[in-house]
Amino acid sequence: MYLDKIKEARNTIKDVVIKTPIMYSDIFSKETNNKVYMKCENLQLTGAYKLRGALNKLRSLTEEQKSKGVVCSSAGNHAQGVAYAATLEGVKSKIVMPKTTPLIKIQSTKNFGGEVVLHGNVYDDAYAEARRIEEEDGLYFLHPFNDIDVILGQGTLALEIIEEIDDIDVIVCPIGGGGLISGIALAAKELKPSIKVIGVQAEGANAMELSFKKGSLISLDTVSTIADGIAVKVPGDLTYEFIKNYVDDIVTVSDADIAESFILLTEKHKLLAEASGVASLAALKKLNLENKKIVSIISGGNIDMVTISALINSGLVSRGRLFCFSVELPDTPGQLLEISRILTSVRANVVQLEHNQFKAIDRLKNVLLEVTVETNGHSHIEMIKNELSKNGYVINHVY
């Protein structure tokens, strides 16, 4: 029913949209005992899959609609897709994004020709402002996910996957409002009904997962996750219907899961993706599947340097690559040297050290030492803790 329309959408956007690569992941395959492939939409022209739907929608508008200009709301990636597509088509665009949007997404949207308006703290605040602007300025509103032309555009991604790997068992896809997974599921289930389509949401922004499991549309009062691209309080009613009928399951992942997958992707594949972009990789351990051929969609790569740093640190801690502890020591000569000797004996590399008398409980006699060391995993951390304990030190595990 929808497959022909998705193929039409591909023809509509093929002169602009890149057919992004599908890469086999040895590391994620080993970690999950499956054959894992990554569909790298982080390498798309605007850094995310959103260009597909935005361009398909824009090219479906009448000349009269285009002449009025367009407005959209976005957490960042739809913004860039709309700005790029609108400029390409000679259409003025006004883009409303939350004030918390990473600077790289704001600046990229401006660079692509969009007029940026910052409003509210989450996507849903920006959405309300965009609808107000639509009424006030008479612009055409381009919904980021709850629109059939947008959904059909996103579905072109599934055509590329299945045409390249025809024996896929599972496609794993991040969910914010649900546009991407709706398009993926519509295409996949018609091309090959045996393919399982599984969605992923952040634990702190799981409105669609709750809706899917309850059987009715649920909205959240608040969202909290590092994956800003999928932090949606109110999912789409159109996308919910598609997900309810065509998606097999939805799982959730923690921010720590996301950070850990970010580290693996960056370190082992030399690829950068945003937090929402690696959610599909973070979900692999939640699927309880073995010996399956799985494609995880890396949905976007628009990430700023500050967030990269935060994700790296969080991921290193999660994988046992950084260990921070504190210990109270007698304020006498040689104590710091003894701690250094123990850490050297277990090959722990000190990356940060704070020696502070004013933080100790007994400030007159003791000093508090806080040490951060580079480690080789959780077993190495246990070895360090045991060695310190064996030498009479009582430590506090900070992180």
Side-chain angles (χ1 to χ4, degrees), residues 31-51:
E31 290 232 333
T32 62
N33 199 25
N34 289 290
K35 290 184 177 179
V36 176
Y37 297 81
M38 304 178 298
K39 176 63 170 171
C40 299
E41 283 294 292
N42 55 321
L43 303 179
Q44 189 53 257
L45 272 176
T46 57
Y49 74 92
K50 288 283 192 177
L51 177 61

mmCIF file with all atom_site columns, all heavy atoms in Angstrom, residues 31-51:
data_model
loop_
_atom_site.group_PDB
_atom_site.id
_atom_site.type_symbol
_atom_site.label_atom_id
_atom_site.label_alt_id
_atom_site.label_comp_id
_atom_site.label_asym_id
_atom_site.label_entity_id
_atom_site.label_seq_id
_atom_site.pdbx_PDB_ins_code
_atom_site.Cartn_x
_atom_site.Cartn_y
_atom_site.Cartn_z
_atom_site.occupancy
_atom_site.B_iso_or_equiv
_atom_site.pdbx_formal_charge
_atom_site.auth_seq_id
_atom_site.auth_comp_id
_atom_site.auth_asym_id
_atom_site.auth_atom_id
_atom_site.pdbx_PDB_model_num
ATOM 1   N N   . GLU A 1 31 ? 30.138 -8.166  20.908 1.00 0.00 ? 31 GLU A N   1
ATOM 2   C CA  . GLU A 1 31 ? 29.528 -7.848  22.208 1.00 0.00 ? 31 GLU A CA  1
ATOM 3   C C   . GLU A 1 31 ? 28.132 -8.443  22.356 1.00 0.00 ? 31 GLU A C   1
ATOM 4   O O   . GLU A 1 31 ? 27.669 -8.676  23.468 1.00 0.00 ? 31 GLU A O   1
ATOM 5   C CB  . GLU A 1 31 ? 29.468 -6.330  22.387 1.00 0.00 ? 31 GLU A CB  1
ATOM 6   C CG  . GLU A 1 31 ? 30.835 -5.688  22.586 1.00 0.00 ? 31 GLU A CG  1
ATOM 7   C CD  . GLU A 1 31 ? 30.883 -4.803  23.810 1.00 0.00 ? 31 GLU A CD  1
ATOM 8   O OE1 . GLU A 1 31 ? 29.841 -4.269  24.215 1.00 0.00 ? 31 GLU A OE1 1
ATOM 9   O OE2 . GLU A 1 31 ? 31.998 -4.658  24.373 1.00 0.00 ? 31 GLU A OE2 1
ATOM 10  N N   . THR A 1 32 ? 27.447 -8.664  21.233 1.00 0.00 ? 32 THR A N   1
ATOM 11  C CA  . THR A 1 32 ? 26.052 -9.119  21.309 1.00 0.00 ? 32 THR A CA  1
ATOM 12  C C   . THR A 1 32 ? 25.830 -10.507 20.714 1.00 0.00 ? 32 THR A C   1
ATOM 13  O O   . THR A 1 32 ? 24.717 -11.019 20.746 1.00 0.00 ? 32 THR A O   1
ATOM 14  C CB  . THR A 1 32 ? 25.139 -8.128  20.572 1.00 0.00 ? 32 THR A CB  1
ATOM 15  O OG1 . THR A 1 32 ? 25.507 -8.067  19.178 1.00 0.00 ? 32 THR A OG1 1
ATOM 16  C CG2 . THR A 1 32 ? 25.252 -6.737  21.178 1.00 0.00 ? 32 THR A CG2 1
ATOM 17  N N   . ASN A 1 33 ? 26.886 -11.113 20.162 1.00 0.00 ? 33 ASN A N   1
ATOM 18  C CA  . ASN A 1 33 ? 26.778 -12.419 19.512 1.00 0.00 ? 33 ASN A CA  1
ATOM 19  C C   . ASN A 1 33 ? 25.754 -12.401 18.373 1.00 0.00 ? 33 ASN A C   1
ATOM 20  O O   . ASN A 1 33 ? 24.965 -13.325 18.188 1.00 0.00 ? 33 ASN A O   1
ATOM 21  C CB  . ASN A 1 33 ? 26.414 -13.511 20.525 1.00 0.00 ? 33 ASN A CB  1
ATOM 22  C CG  . ASN A 1 33 ? 26.752 -14.907 20.009 1.00 0.00 ? 33 ASN A CG  1
ATOM 23  O OD1 . ASN A 1 33 ? 27.633 -15.074 19.163 1.00 0.00 ? 33 ASN A OD1 1
ATOM 24  N ND2 . ASN A 1 33 ? 26.051 -15.910 20.499 1.00 0.00 ? 33 ASN A ND2 1
ATOM 25  N N   . ASN A 1 34 ? 25.791 -11.325 17.603 1.00 0.00 ? 34 ASN A N   1
ATOM 26  C CA  . ASN A 1 34 ? 24.984 -11.193 16.393 1.00 0.00 ? 34 ASN A CA  1
ATOM 27  C C   . ASN A 1 34 ? 25.862 -10.643 15.281 1.00 0.00 ? 34 ASN A C   1
ATOM 28  O O   . ASN A 1 34 ? 27.016 -10.298 15.519 1.00 0.00 ? 34 ASN A O   1
ATOM 29  C CB  . ASN A 1 34 ? 23.816 -10.222 16.635 1.00 0.00 ? 34 ASN A CB  1
ATOM 30  C CG  . ASN A 1 34 ? 22.754 -10.805 17.553 1.00 0.00 ? 34 ASN A CG  1
ATOM 31  O OD1 . ASN A 1 34 ? 22.036 -11.727 17.192 1.00 0.00 ? 34 ASN A OD1 1
ATOM 32  N ND2 . ASN A 1 34 ? 22.642 -10.260 18.764 1.00 0.00 ? 34 ASN A ND2 1
ATOM 33  N N   . LYS A 1 35 ? 25.325 -10.562 14.083 1.00 0.00 ? 35 LYS A N   1
ATOM 34  C CA  . LYS A 1 35 ? 25.998 -9.856  13.001 1.00 0.00 ? 35 LYS A CA  1
ATOM 35  C C   . LYS A 1 35 ? 25.363 -8.471  12.918 1.00 0.00 ? 35 LYS A C   1
ATOM 36  O O   . LYS A 1 35 ? 24.218 -8.339  12.484 1.00 0.00 ? 35 LYS A O   1
ATOM 37  C CB  . LYS A 1 35 ? 25.849 -10.605 11.680 1.00 0.00 ? 35 LYS A CB  1
ATOM 38  C CG  . LYS A 1 35 ? 26.636 -11.904 11.627 1.00 0.00 ? 35 LYS A CG  1
ATOM 39  C CD  . LYS A 1 35 ? 26.537 -12.549 10.257 1.00 0.00 ? 35 LYS A CD  1
ATOM 40  C CE  . LYS A 1 35 ? 27.401 -13.809 10.187 1.00 0.00 ? 35 LYS A CE  1
ATOM 41  N NZ  . LYS A 1 35 ? 27.304 -14.473 8.854  1.00 0.00 ? 35 LYS A NZ  1
ATOM 42  N N   . VAL A 1 36 ? 26.116 -7.477  13.345 1.00 0.00 ? 36 VAL A N   1
ATOM 43  C CA  . VAL A 1 36 ? 25.573 -6.124  13.454 1.00 0.00 ? 36 VAL A CA  1
ATOM 44  C C   . VAL A 1 36 ? 26.125 -5.225  12.341 1.00 0.00 ? 36 VAL A C   1
ATOM 45  O O   . VAL A 1 36 ? 27.338 -5.146  12.137 1.00 0.00 ? 36 VAL A O   1
ATOM 46  C CB  . VAL A 1 36 ? 25.900 -5.504  14.831 1.00 0.00 ? 36 VAL A CB  1
ATOM 47  C CG1 . VAL A 1 36 ? 25.424 -4.052  14.901 1.00 0.00 ? 36 VAL A CG1 1
ATOM 48  C CG2 . VAL A 1 36 ? 25.268 -6.330  15.948 1.00 0.00 ? 36 VAL A CG2 1
ATOM 49  N N   . TYR A 1 37 ? 25.213 -4.563  11.664 1.00 0.00 ? 37 TYR A N   1
ATOM 50  C CA  . TYR A 1 37 ? 25.557 -3.592  10.624 1.00 0.00 ? 37 TYR A CA  1
ATOM 51  C C   . TYR A 1 37 ? 25.038 -2.223  11.043 1.00 0.00 ? 37 TYR A C   1
ATOM 52  O O   . TYR A 1 37 ? 24.046 -2.116  11.767 1.00 0.00 ? 37 TYR A O   1
ATOM 53  C CB  . TYR A 1 37 ? 24.943 -3.987  9.282  1.00 0.00 ? 37 TYR A CB  1
ATOM 54  C CG  . TYR A 1 37 ? 25.458 -5.295  8.733  1.00 0.00 ? 37 TYR A CG  1
ATOM 55  C CD1 . TYR A 1 37 ? 24.958 -6.511  9.187  1.00 0.00 ? 37 TYR A CD1 1
ATOM 56  C CD2 . TYR A 1 37 ? 26.451 -5.316  7.752  1.00 0.00 ? 37 TYR A CD2 1
ATOM 57  C CE1 . TYR A 1 37 ? 25.438 -7.719  8.699  1.00 0.00 ? 37 TYR A CE1 1
ATOM 58  C CE2 . TYR A 1 37 ? 26.932 -6.522  7.248  1.00 0.00 ? 37 TYR A CE2 1
ATOM 59  C CZ  . TYR A 1 37 ? 26.422 -7.712  7.722  1.00 0.00 ? 37 TYR A CZ  1
ATOM 60  O OH  . TYR A 1 37 ? 26.900 -8.897  7.233  1.00 0.00 ? 37 TYR A OH  1
ATOM 61  N N   . MET A 1 38 ? 25.694 -1.180  10.571 1.00 0.00 ? 38 MET A N   1
ATOM 62  C CA  . MET A 1 38 ? 25.298 0.184   10.921 1.00 0.00 ? 38 MET A CA  1
ATOM 63  C C   . MET A 1 38 ? 24.956 0.959   9.656  1.00 0.00 ? 38 MET A C   1
ATOM 64  O O   . MET A 1 38 ? 25.766 1.036   8.730  1.00 0.00 ? 38 MET A O   1
ATOM 65  C CB  . MET A 1 38 ? 26.435 0.890   11.662 1.00 0.00 ? 38 MET A CB  1
ATOM 66  C CG  . MET A 1 38 ? 26.907 0.158   12.911 1.00 0.00 ? 38 MET A CG  1
ATOM 67  S SD  . MET A 1 38 ? 28.294 0.991   13.734 1.00 0.00 ? 38 MET A SD  1
ATOM 68  C CE  . MET A 1 38 ? 29.563 0.922   12.458 1.00 0.00 ? 38 MET A CE  1
ATOM 69  N N   . LYS A 1 39 ? 23.759 1.501   9.598  1.00 0.00 ? 39 LYS A N   1
ATOM 70  C CA  . LYS A 1 39 ? 23.351 2.377   8.499  1.00 0.00 ? 39 LYS A CA  1
ATOM 71  C C   . LYS A 1 39 ? 23.701 3.797   8.913  1.00 0.00 ? 39 LYS A C   1
ATOM 72  O O   . LYS A 1 39 ? 23.095 4.372   9.820  1.00 0.00 ? 39 LYS A O   1
ATOM 73  C CB  . LYS A 1 39 ? 21.850 2.239   8.237  1.00 0.00 ? 39 LYS A CB  1
ATOM 74  C CG  . LYS A 1 39 ? 21.291 3.183   7.167  1.00 0.00 ? 39 LYS A CG  1
ATOM 75  C CD  . LYS A 1 39 ? 21.903 2.923   5.794  1.00 0.00 ? 39 LYS A CD  1
ATOM 76  C CE  . LYS A 1 39 ? 21.142 3.716   4.725  1.00 0.00 ? 39 LYS A CE  1
ATOM 77  N NZ  . LYS A 1 39 ? 21.824 3.674   3.410  1.00 0.00 ? 39 LYS A NZ  1
ATOM 78  N N   . CYS A 1 40 ? 24.706 4.372   8.250  1.00 0.00 ? 40 CYS A N   1
ATOM 79  C CA  . CYS A 1 40 ? 25.365 5.586   8.752  1.00 0.00 ? 40 CYS A CA  1
ATOM 80  C C   . CYS A 1 40 ? 24.737 6.871   8.223  1.00 0.00 ? 40 CYS A C   1
ATOM 81  O O   . CYS A 1 40 ? 25.314 7.569   7.365  1.00 0.00 ? 40 CYS A O   1
ATOM 82  C CB  . CYS A 1 40 ? 26.852 5.537   8.424  1.00 0.00 ? 40 CYS A CB  1
ATOM 83  S SG  . CYS A 1 40 ? 27.708 4.137   9.176  1.00 0.00 ? 40 CYS A SG  1
ATOM 84  N N   . GLU A 1 41 ? 23.571 7.219   8.755  1.00 0.00 ? 41 GLU A N   1
ATOM 85  C CA  . GLU A 1 41 ? 22.927 8.473   8.373  1.00 0.00 ? 41 GLU A CA  1
ATOM 86  C C   . GLU A 1 41 ? 23.610 9.681   9.013  1.00 0.00 ? 41 GLU A C   1
ATOM 87  O O   . GLU A 1 41 ? 23.284 10.820  8.683  1.00 0.00 ? 41 GLU A O   1
ATOM 88  C CB  . GLU A 1 41 ? 21.453 8.440   8.741  1.00 0.00 ? 41 GLU A CB  1
ATOM 89  C CG  . GLU A 1 41 ? 20.609 7.627   7.784  1.00 0.00 ? 41 GLU A CG  1
ATOM 90  C CD  . GLU A 1 41 ? 20.535 8.247   6.380  1.00 0.00 ? 41 GLU A CD  1
ATOM 91  O OE1 . GLU A 1 41 ? 19.932 9.315   6.227  1.00 0.00 ? 41 GLU A OE1 1
ATOM 92  O OE2 . GLU A 1 41 ? 21.106 7.642   5.448  1.00 0.00 ? 41 GLU A OE2 1
ATOM 93  N N   . ASN A 1 42 ? 24.562 9.444   9.909  1.00 0.00 ? 42 ASN A N   1
ATOM 94  C CA  . ASN A 1 42 ? 25.392 10.540  10.416 1.00 0.00 ? 42 ASN A CA  1
ATOM 95  C C   . ASN A 1 42 ? 26.276 11.107  9.309  1.00 0.00 ? 42 ASN A C   1
ATOM 96  O O   . ASN A 1 42 ? 26.820 12.204  9.445  1.00 0.00 ? 42 ASN A O   1
ATOM 97  C CB  . ASN A 1 42 ? 26.254 10.074  11.591 1.00 0.00 ? 42 ASN A CB  1
ATOM 98  C CG  . ASN A 1 42 ? 27.103 8.864   11.263 1.00 0.00 ? 42 ASN A CG  1
ATOM 99  O OD1 . ASN A 1 42 ? 26.665 7.947   10.566 1.00 0.00 ? 42 ASN A OD1 1
ATOM 100 N ND2 . ASN A 1 42 ? 28.314 8.833   11.780 1.00 0.00 ? 42 ASN A ND2 1
ATOM 101 N N   . LEU A 1 43 ? 26.388 10.377  8.197  1.00 0.00 ? 43 LEU A N   1
ATOM 102 C CA  . LEU A 1 43 ? 27.176 10.841  7.049  1.00 0.00 ? 43 LEU A CA  1
ATOM 103 C C   . LEU A 1 43 ? 26.309 11.457  5.958  1.00 0.00 ? 43 LEU A C   1
ATOM 104 O O   . LEU A 1 43 ? 26.787 11.751  4.860  1.00 0.00 ? 43 LEU A O   1
ATOM 105 C CB  . LEU A 1 43 ? 27.997 9.674   6.477  1.00 0.00 ? 43 LEU A CB  1
ATOM 106 C CG  . LEU A 1 43 ? 28.945 8.982   7.469  1.00 0.00 ? 43 LEU A CG  1
ATOM 107 C CD1 . LEU A 1 43 ? 29.675 7.829   6.806  1.00 0.00 ? 43 LEU A CD1 1
ATOM 108 C CD2 . LEU A 1 43 ? 29.932 9.984   8.061  1.00 0.00 ? 43 LEU A CD2 1
ATOM 109 N N   . GLN A 1 44 ? 25.016 11.640  6.248  1.00 0.00 ? 44 GLN A N   1
ATOM 110 C CA  . GLN A 1 44 ? 24.101 12.289  5.305  1.00 0.00 ? 44 GLN A CA  1
ATOM 111 C C   . GLN A 1 44 ? 24.504 13.751  5.130  1.00 0.00 ? 44 GLN A C   1
ATOM 112 O O   . GLN A 1 44 ? 25.210 14.327  5.957  1.00 0.00 ? 44 GLN A O   1
ATOM 113 C CB  . GLN A 1 44 ? 22.665 12.161  5.822  1.00 0.00 ? 44 GLN A CB  1
ATOM 114 C CG  . GLN A 1 44 ? 21.569 12.591  4.864  1.00 0.00 ? 44 GLN A CG  1
ATOM 115 C CD  . GLN A 1 44 ? 21.660 11.912  3.517  1.00 0.00 ? 44 GLN A CD  1
ATOM 116 O OE1 . GLN A 1 44 ? 22.112 12.539  2.558  1.00 0.00 ? 44 GLN A OE1 1
ATOM 117 N NE2 . GLN A 1 44 ? 21.275 10.636  3.442  1.00 0.00 ? 44 GLN A NE2 1
ATOM 118 N N   . LEU A 1 45 ? 24.031 14.395  4.060  1.00 0.00 ? 45 LEU A N   1
ATOM 119 C CA  . LEU A 1 45 ? 24.429 15.769  3.737  1.00 0.00 ? 45 LEU A CA  1
ATOM 120 C C   . LEU A 1 45 ? 24.296 16.734  4.909  1.00 0.00 ? 45 LEU A C   1
ATOM 121 O O   . LEU A 1 45 ? 25.208 17.505  5.187  1.00 0.00 ? 45 LEU A O   1
ATOM 122 C CB  . LEU A 1 45 ? 23.579 16.290  2.568  1.00 0.00 ? 45 LEU A CB  1
ATOM 123 C CG  . LEU A 1 45 ? 24.108 16.011  1.156  1.00 0.00 ? 45 LEU A CG  1
ATOM 124 C CD1 . LEU A 1 45 ? 23.113 16.486  0.126  1.00 0.00 ? 45 LEU A CD1 1
ATOM 125 C CD2 . LEU A 1 45 ? 25.461 16.687  0.940  1.00 0.00 ? 45 LEU A CD2 1
ATOM 126 N N   . THR A 1 46 ? 23.188 16.702  5.603  1.00 0.00 ? 46 THR A N   1
ATOM 127 C CA  . THR A 1 46 ? 22.984 17.621  6.725  1.00 0.00 ? 46 THR A CA  1
ATOM 128 C C   . THR A 1 46 ? 23.331 16.974  8.059  1.00 0.00 ? 46 THR A C   1
ATOM 129 O O   . THR A 1 46 ? 22.989 17.503  9.121  1.00 0.00 ? 46 THR A O   1
ATOM 130 C CB  . THR A 1 46 ? 21.521 18.113  6.761  1.00 0.00 ? 46 THR A CB  1
ATOM 131 O OG1 . THR A 1 46 ? 20.652 16.979  6.842  1.00 0.00 ? 46 THR A OG1 1
ATOM 132 C CG2 . THR A 1 46 ? 21.188 18.926  5.528  1.00 0.00 ? 46 THR A CG2 1
ATOM 133 N N   . GLY A 1 47 ? 23.975 15.821  8.015  1.00 0.00 ? 47 GLY A N   1
ATOM 134 C CA  . GLY A 1 47 ? 24.402 15.150  9.236  1.00 0.00 ? 47 GLY A CA  1
ATOM 135 C C   . GLY A 1 47 ? 23.340 14.291  9.880  1.00 0.00 ? 47 GLY A C   1
ATOM 136 O O   . GLY A 1 47 ? 23.541 13.794  10.990 1.00 0.00 ? 47 GLY A O   1
ATOM 137 N N   . ALA A 1 48 ? 22.195 14.081  9.194  1.00 0.00 ? 48 ALA A N   1
ATOM 138 C CA  . ALA A 1 48 ? 21.131 13.260  9.764  1.00 0.00 ? 48 ALA A CA  1
ATOM 139 C C   . ALA A 1 48 ? 20.124 12.875  8.677  1.00 0.00 ? 48 ALA A C   1
ATOM 140 O O   . ALA A 1 48 ? 20.020 13.532  7.631  1.00 0.00 ? 48 ALA A O   1
ATOM 141 C CB  . ALA A 1 48 ? 20.412 13.994  10.896 1.00 0.00 ? 48 ALA A CB  1
ATOM 142 N N   . TYR A 1 49 ? 19.343 11.836  8.954  1.00 0.00 ? 49 TYR A N   1
ATOM 143 C CA  . TYR A 1 49 ? 18.352 11.318  8.011  1.00 0.00 ? 49 TYR A CA  1
ATOM 144 C C   . TYR A 1 49 ? 17.229 12.301  7.704  1.00 0.00 ? 49 TYR A C   1
ATOM 145 O O   . TYR A 1 49 ? 16.512 12.180  6.709  1.00 0.00 ? 49 TYR A O   1
ATOM 146 C CB  . TYR A 1 49 ? 17.721 10.037  8.582  1.00 0.00 ? 49 TYR A CB  1
ATOM 147 C CG  . TYR A 1 49 ? 16.749 10.296  9.711  1.00 0.00 ? 49 TYR A CG  1
ATOM 148 C CD1 . TYR A 1 49 ? 15.396 10.457  9.475  1.00 0.00 ? 49 TYR A CD1 1
ATOM 149 C CD2 . TYR A 1 49 ? 17.199 10.430  11.022 1.00 0.00 ? 49 TYR A CD2 1
ATOM 150 C CE1 . TYR A 1 49 ? 14.515 10.730  10.509 1.00 0.00 ? 49 TYR A CE1 1
ATOM 151 C CE2 . TYR A 1 49 ? 16.335 10.701  12.060 1.00 0.00 ? 49 TYR A CE2 1
ATOM 152 C CZ  . TYR A 1 49 ? 14.981 10.858  11.799 1.00 0.00 ? 49 TYR A CZ  1
ATOM 153 O OH  . TYR A 1 49 ? 14.122 11.139  12.814 1.00 0.00 ? 49 TYR A OH  1
ATOM 154 N N   . LYS A 1 50 ? 17.056 13.324  8.535  1.00 0.00 ? 50 LYS A N   1
ATOM 155 C CA  . LYS A 1 50 ? 15.909 14.228  8.445  1.00 0.00 ? 50 LYS A CA  1
ATOM 156 C C   . LYS A 1 50 ? 15.774 14.916  7.085  1.00 0.00 ? 50 LYS A C   1
ATOM 157 O O   . LYS A 1 50 ? 14.675 15.330  6.694  1.00 0.00 ? 50 LYS A O   1
ATOM 158 C CB  . LYS A 1 50 ? 15.994 15.284  9.534  1.00 0.00 ? 50 LYS A CB  1
ATOM 159 C CG  . LYS A 1 50 ? 15.709 14.778  10.942 1.00 0.00 ? 50 LYS A CG  1
ATOM 160 C CD  . LYS A 1 50 ? 14.232 14.573  11.169 1.00 0.00 ? 50 LYS A CD  1
ATOM 161 C CE  . LYS A 1 50 ? 13.920 14.348  12.644 1.00 0.00 ? 50 LYS A CE  1
ATOM 162 N NZ  . LYS A 1 50 ? 12.469 14.223  12.895 1.00 0.00 ? 50 LYS A NZ  1
ATOM 163 N N   . LEU A 1 51 ? 16.870 15.048  6.363  1.00 0.00 ? 51 LEU A N   1
ATOM 164 C CA  . LEU A 1 51 ? 16.820 15.675  5.044  1.00 0.00 ? 51 LEU A CA  1
ATOM 165 C C   . LEU A 1 51 ? 15.873 14.930  4.111  1.00 0.00 ? 51 LEU A C   1
ATOM 166 O O   . LEU A 1 51 ? 15.203 15.538  3.272  1.00 0.00 ? 51 LEU A O   1
ATOM 167 C CB  . LEU A 1 51 ? 18.229 15.724  4.436  1.00 0.00 ? 51 LEU A CB  1
ATOM 168 C CG  . LEU A 1 51 ? 18.344 16.293  3.018  1.00 0.00 ? 51 LEU A CG  1
ATOM 169 C CD1 . LEU A 1 51 ? 17.867 17.739  2.969  1.00 0.00 ? 51 LEU A CD1 1
ATOM 170 C CD2 . LEU A 1 51 ? 19.786 16.184  2.518  1.00 0.00 ? 51 LEU A CD2 1
#
